[in-house]
Amino acid sequence: MSNSAIILISERDSTVRNRSQHNQQKQPDSSCNKKGLQSHNHKLELSAGMLRESSVVILLLGFMCLVRILVLISVQQLSSTGHFNALRARKHLERITSVGPRTIGSPENEITTVNYLLDQIKQIRSESETGPHSITVDVQRPTGSFSINGFISYYDRVTNIAVKLQPKTRAQHFMLANCHFDSVANSPGASDDAVSCSVMLEVLHSLANLSTPLKHGVIFLFNGAEENNLQASHGFITQHPWAQQVRAFVNLEAAGVGGKELVFQTGPENPWLVQAYARAAVHPFASVVGQEIFQSGLIPSDTDFRIYRDFGNIPGIDLAFIENGYIYHTKYDTPERIPTDSIQRAGVLYKCDLVYAVCVVIFSWFVTLVTVLIVALIVTLTGRSMFWYTHFYAAVCLYGSAATGTIVLIHTLTKDIFYRSTSRVYLAELFFDVSLLLWCFLLLILTMCGFCSAYVPMMMVVFPLISKLLLRKHFRARGASLQYSVLYLTGLAVPYVHIMFLIWVVFEVFTPIQGRSGTGIPPDVVLALIVTLATVILSTYFLHVIYLSRSMKHILAGLGSVFTVMFVLVCCGLFFPYSADPSSPRPKRIFVQHTTRRFHALNGSLQSSDSGLCISSVDYTDMQHITPHIPQINDSIRWDCQDRLPYCGSSRKSWYLPAPEVSPEAPLEFRLLSRQETEWGTVKMTFEVKGPSLMSLRMRPQAGASLSSWSFGDRTPQFNRSGGYVISYSRGLDAPAWSFWFEIQPPKSSDASPDEGLISLAVSAHYFSGSDRHSEQLESLLKRFPAWVFPSSWISTYHMYRY
């Protein structure tokens, strides 16, 4: 037992004994009076120092509202003044995005945007000619390949614009600033990543016009191929002669639209870089928790940071806008949605009780998790998944009330049943110590594992402990008074504000991600897990208050009412997941391809073919909400992908509407240039491919055969999780035909199947730009989708060969 609880209980026991002895001396023969006095004293002991239920509600709600307000204030735009001109940067942003989507290989990306950037750089160089700096421009169009995420990424003549700013006396060391000006198909790409390129243009203008020369140089890299597997940055860091002079880098990215830019990755090692950022930034905004979440693979994205870290072995900082990720990679990612301010900132008995109490807390967490997950699964099974996508606070009310109510219920039952005869003050102390112990345990684990985010549990240990020690005397004298409770919550303010901020970041990142995370794990399960985790974390030191409260029945009734009402409203379909509101769009993302598939026999003849409109869902709700608008898109036309094919032309969860063949003006040309047997028993095949700027190649050797070498990367074939070998190809303008080779080890004669050959190859050609990206049937279908759907559409062809 803690000293404060022992002293307080002993003082109260002494007071009760003194009062009892005094009354016995005064009325020694009155047994009735004695019994009445004992009953009265027992009530005094139970009620002394207890809080009214209404006080608990007001205190906790007031505290959480205050914390929430402080978090909201902390994430507001923070403007700064200086040489940087945000209005001029915004003009760059509007000009870059005015051409529309800028996919790799499109004229909008390779010509229009490149020319605009070069013109602006030329003007900056002209204005600063008399200054102390020199500007050198180099347009690089590299070709290469590398392994990433289990497949090979191949690129040919993609575009980089590298700008070297240095004192006229020359510099030996350079800082690299990176952005990318290409975008995904069908999106203007204002936040990802035109705004960063606009910021870099203005930074270049500001630095070039300084009157005092820089000590070191800066290389500004405007890369034109990031969206297709980070290719242009690889071309620069592995091939450009300036790359050898780079000592550190800053990568400007986006996972949302606007808000304060967050440093979410740093390293490797080199803490000086973070220290330099903290000193230089007017309003530094960073969290090591973000880095560890991002690098864990939980977020389905990657940035050029990875390329510079892994292939350049140089330290760097990754900054990104994270607010409003709902419209990331959609048509709503427009310049007007990016605020100018976002641009402007860039004992033994006691030991037994302690063990039992720890078990109670862990048990309450487990039951809470199971309860909330059951609710999430029921919501999913009733077809109301993602109801929170547009109405986020509906999820907080539903899952949060379920989680909070379960925790409060378990501890109320524990208090009233298992600890009925135990002092409530002692229980409050006991469960405070349990919370402290669990945070200490987490601190120890994270420290031993070397996680920098161990500072979070450290805050949750230091601040509550100091507050409790400072309030010890007050607690002994007055018990759980209202004043004590206010002071106790005040002591929790600093760590809880930070915890609430981290929770806000997690929700801000992961909630929009559920709209593009695929159809595997039910998103309600993911969000329910996050809400439960947030509730558990926030509830730890509130257990102390629960055990000091006289009653929790009204709180439980309120939580139960909120849960019941929200559950009924959700199951009735009141909350529709998507929204086309221009001020706050929450679109459903789908992919629509007008595709033609051709399957060739071993002798090269056409074996079969088909054409259609292939619709793929990017989130869990599939076509559930689209079918009422377009009845033809239903489960009767679900895609049936054959496992024996290396790639069937679309994802396995798609819907296929028959349509006429597509006839692109620049059709795919695929040729076997040579086939020869090597002296070591393999068969070497060389191919040539001509087609659009984005293509993919998938290979699957037949049973018993295996690839031994190829012309990609380090020439060691890497098997993909999908059951084959995958190469993603992109090119810039004026690139030659794509040629490649591989060597395959034939199967043993007993395993060979003459009808199957050695290997199956599937080549997909994707037409994202130009006149080939449209068809009459495709445009007709797109017009039928409701306004809250964002269909990313293009033309594609698929050819499967056997050799």
Side-chain angles (χ1 to χ4, degrees):
M1 183 185 298
S2 63
N3 291 334
S4 57
I6 294 174
I7 293 171
L8 186 58
I9 293 171
S10 62
E11 288 176 351
R12 289 177 179 170
D13 287 344
S14 175
T15 302
V16 172
R17 286 195 300 271
N18 291 337
R19 290 177 179 174
S20 178
Q21 290 171 3
H22 174 76
N23 282 285
Q24 286 176 359
Q25 291 172 1
K26 189 173 183 179
Q27 297 177 342
D29 298 324
S30 179
S31 59
C32 292
N33 288 341
K34 181 178 180 179
K35 291 179 180 178
L37 181 60
Q38 289 176 340
S39 175
H40 176 68
N41 286 336
H42 180 67
K43 291 180 179 178
L44 282 175
E45 181 181 4
L46 288 178
S47 62
M50 297 295 102
L51 291 172
R52 294 179 182 275
E53 188 176 4
S54 58
S55 299
V56 172
V57 174
I58 294 172
L59 282 171
L60 293 185
L61 286 179
F63 177 73
M64 295 306 296
C65 289
L66 177 61
V67 168
R68 176 60 178 160
I69 290 170
L70 291 175
V71 170
L72 289 174
I73 292 174
S74 72
V75 298
Q76 291 302 305
Q77 307 305 315
L78 296 175
S79 299
S80 58
T81 58
H83 296 287
F84 187 88
N85 189 322
L87 296 177
R88 190 159 48 210
R90 174 168 287 283
K91 290 181 180 178
H92 294 317
L93 173 62
E94 292 169 350
R95 285 292 302 275
I96 293 173
T97 57
S98 64
V99 301
R102 303 172 302 283
T103 55
I104 303 169
S106 67
E108 292 83 1
N109 190 68
E110 308 296 333
I111 298 176
T112 309
T113 305
V114 168
N115 288 342
Y116 176 75
L117 292 172
L118 290 174
D119 287 344
Q120 296 305 308
I121 295 166
K122 182 179 179 181
Q123 289 183 24
I124 294 171
R125 181 167 57 181
S126 176
E127 292 175 13
S128 61
E129 278 182 344
T130 59
H133 298 101
S134 65
I135 295 177
T136 308
V137 184
D138 182 59
V139 179
Q140 180 200 26
R141 291 191 167 88
T143 297
S145 63
F146 60 99
S147 174
I148 183 170
N149 296 329
F151 64 90
I152 296 297
S153 180
Y154 183 91
Y155 55 92
D156 192 0
R157 291 184 61 79
V158 296
T159 304
N160 278 324
I161 301 176
V163 183
K164 179 186 283 189
L165 175 70
Q166 61 180 334
K168 289 182 177 178
T169 55
R170 302 299 179 187
Q172 294 183 344
H173 307 297
F174 287 82
M175 167 73 78
L176 173 68
N178 177 79
C179 72
H180 68 89
F181 55 84
D182 65 312
S183 72
V184 295
N186 307 106
S187 174
S191 67
D192 187 23
D193 191 31
V195 66
S196 298
C197 293
S198 304
V199 168
M200 279 177 44
L201 279 174
E202 179 56 23
V203 170
L204 173 62
H205 180 275
S206 300
L207 295 180
N209 287 281
L210 291 176
S211 58
T212 304
L214 298 169
K215 183 178 181 180
H216 302 294
V218 182
I219 295 174
F220 295 85
L221 180 63
F222 302 85
N223 86 63
E226 189 268 357
E227 295 294 354
N228 193 38
N229 304 312
L230 321 175
Q231 294 171 328
S233 57
H234 181 271
F236 175 82
I237 203 64
T238 59
Q239 300 178 36
H240 201 286
W242 293 355
Q244 302 300 319
Q245 298 175 287
V246 175
R247 299 295 175 261
F249 70 91
V250 175
N251 183 48
L252 302 180
E253 256 295 349
V257 180
K260 293 169 68 177
E261 72 289 348
L262 171 68
V263 175
F264 63 98
Q265 287 192 99
T266 63
E269 305 298 336
N270 295 282
W272 63 267
L273 194 57
V274 179
Q275 294 167 0
Y277 164 76
R279 289 193 303 267
V282 179
H283 304 294
F285 190 53
S287 174
V288 73
V289 177
Q291 170 168 303
E292 291 172 349
I293 290 176
F294 190 86
Q295 295 183 354
S296 68
L298 293 175
I299 298 178
S301 297
D302 224 331
T303 73
D304 288 323
F305 179 95
R306 175 177 179 177
I307 299 298
Y308 297 131
R309 179 195 65 195
D310 295 350
F311 293 93
N313 195 29
I314 53 177
I317 289 180
D318 215 357
L319 297 99
F321 298 119
I322 64 170
E323 281 192 10
N324 201 9
Y326 299 97
I327 61 180
Y328 169 78
H329 278 192
T330 71
K331 65 180 180 181
Y332 301 105
D333 185 8
T334 54
E336 58 268 18
R337 296 186 185 276
I338 303 178
T340 302
D341 283 347
S342 290
I343 303 176
Q344 185 71 43
R345 311 191 2 105
V348 175
L349 175 61
Y350 184 68
K351 287 180 180 177
C352 293
D353 286 345
L354 190 64
V355 172
Y356 293 148
V358 169
C359 293
V360 169
V361 171
I362 294 176
F363 175 75
S364 71
W365 293 350
F366 174 76
V367 174
T368 299
L369 178 61
V370 172
T371 301
V372 178
L373 287 181
I374 290 174
V375 174
L377 289 174
I378 293 174
V379 169
T380 301
L381 292 174
T382 56
R384 304 305 179 188
S385 184
M386 294 184 66
F387 68 92
W388 36 263
Y389 196 64
T390 296
H391 314 276
F392 171 73
Y393 285 100
V396 175
C397 291
L398 179 65
Y399 298 132
S401 63
T404 306
T406 304
I407 292 176
V408 172
L409 177 62
I410 291 174
H411 285 281
T412 299
L413 293 175
T414 301
K415 177 177 65 173
D416 294 342
I417 298 176
F418 297 102
Y419 290 115
R420 174 181 288 181
S421 59
T422 306
S423 168
R424 302 295 170 83
V425 175
Y426 170 70
L427 290 177
E429 291 280 0
L430 176 65
F431 280 91
F432 174 86
D433 292 346
V434 168
S435 301
L436 197 64
L437 177 65
L438 292 173
W439 280 111
C440 286
F441 179 73
L442 181 60
L443 173 60
L444 177 64
I445 295 298
L446 293 182
T447 302
M448 291 177 63
C449 294
F451 288 107
C452 298
S453 50
Y455 81 92
V456 176
M458 182 196 71
M459 292 178 65
M460 295 297 284
V461 169
V462 172
F463 283 90
L465 181 59
I466 292 175
S467 300
K468 200 69 177 65
L469 292 175
L470 291 175
L471 292 172
R472 179 178 176 183
K473 185 176 180 181
H474 185 283
F475 191 62
R476 283 187 196 171
R478 302 184 184 180
S481 64
L482 183 61
Q483 183 182 3
Y484 165 80
S485 302
V486 171
L487 293 174
Y488 174 77
L489 293 177
T490 302
L492 299 179
V494 172
Y496 266 70
V497 166
H498 189 69
I499 287 287
M500 188 71 90
F501 160 73
L502 295 178
I503 291 173
W504 171 83
V505 170
V506 169
F507 279 123
E508 193 72 25
V509 172
F510 280 95
T511 304
I513 282 176
Q514 301 311 306
R516 52 188 169 92
S517 61
T519 58
I521 301 175
D524 277 76
V525 170
V526 176
L527 195 70
L529 284 170
I530 297 175
V531 172
T532 302
L533 179 62
T535 304
V536 165
I537 291 173
L538 293 172
S539 70
T540 49
Y541 286 111
F542 291 164
L543 299 180
H544 178 74
V545 180
I546 292 176
Y547 284 92
L548 286 176
S549 175
R550 296 176 185 174
S551 172
M552 298 296 289
K553 61 182 180 180
H554 292 104
I555 293 177
L556 285 170
L559 291 170
S561 300
V562 171
F563 170 76
T564 303
V565 170
M566 288 304 304
F567 186 75
V568 171
L569 293 178
V570 168
C571 291
C572 290
L574 182 65
F575 303 105
F576 188 71
Y578 311 106
S579 170
D581 181 359
S583 63
S584 183
R586 299 290 187 270
K588 175 179 175 60
R589 307 159 194 254
I590 61 171
F591 294 146
V592 184
Q593 302 178 55
H594 188 177
T595 184
T596 295
R597 305 189 307 162
R598 293 185 173 90
F599 302 89
H600 300 267
L602 188 60
N603 61 5
S605 63
L606 183 63
Q607 190 173 26
S608 64
S609 66
D610 59 51
S611 295
L613 295 162
C614 182
I615 305 103
S616 304
S617 177
V618 185
D619 65 22
Y620 189 80
T621 62
D622 293 338
M623 298 295 121
Q624 170 188 347
H625 301 291
I626 293 179
T627 300
H629 297 269
I630 310 177
Q632 294 88 340
I633 304 177
N634 55 65
D635 286 344
S636 65
I637 60 167
R638 281 283 296 272
W639 186 273
D640 182 19
C641 188
Q642 303 176 45
D643 290 333
R644 65 184 179 85
L645 299 177
Y647 175 56
C648 61
S650 183
S651 65
R652 291 179 179 269
K653 202 165 187 180
S654 300
W655 289 255
Y656 195 68
L657 287 170
E661 287 191 0
V662 296
S663 301
E665 295 179 2
L668 178 75
E669 298 179 22
F670 187 82
R671 291 196 303 152
L672 173 64
L673 297 181
S674 65
R675 174 178 177 147
Q676 62 186 61
E677 295 186 4
T678 65
E679 57 184 16
W680 44 85
T682 63
V683 176
K684 182 177 182 179
M685 301 183 192
T686 304
F687 297 87
E688 182 181 86
V689 187
K690 293 181 180 179
S693 59
L694 289 167
M695 295 183 286
S696 63
L697 171 67
R698 297 179 183 240
M699 300 181 287
R700 178 177 291 176
Q702 304 302 339
S706 61
L707 287 182
S708 59
S709 180
W710 61 10
S711 58
F712 305 112
D714 60 2
R715 300 198 173 186
T716 302
Q718 297 195 8
F719 200 72
N720 187 267
R721 290 174 295 182
S722 63
Y725 300 88
V726 182
I727 295 91
S728 173
Y729 169 87
S730 64
R731 64 165 175 81
L733 298 176
D734 303 323
W738 178 25
S739 61
F740 63 90
W741 59 262
F742 60 79
E743 292 185 19
I744 186 169
Q745 183 69 50
K748 297 178 182 179
S749 57
S750 59
D751 299 331
S753 174
D755 295 333
E756 295 293 331
L758 294 176
I759 190 170
S760 295
L761 288 84
V763 183
S764 291
H766 301 277
Y767 298 85
F768 283 106
S769 61
S771 59
D772 283 342
R773 69 178 297 258
H774 301 287
S775 73
E776 182 181 345
Q777 293 78 16
L778 180 61
E779 295 301 317
S780 177
L781 178 63
L782 294 178
K783 292 177 182 178
R784 299 179 63 187
F785 286 106
W788 43 264
V789 175
F790 174 68
S792 184
S793 61
W794 68 95
I795 300 294
S796 67
T797 60
Y798 167 86
H799 297 261
M800 201 277 285
Y801 302 90
R802 290 190 177 93
Y803 294 96

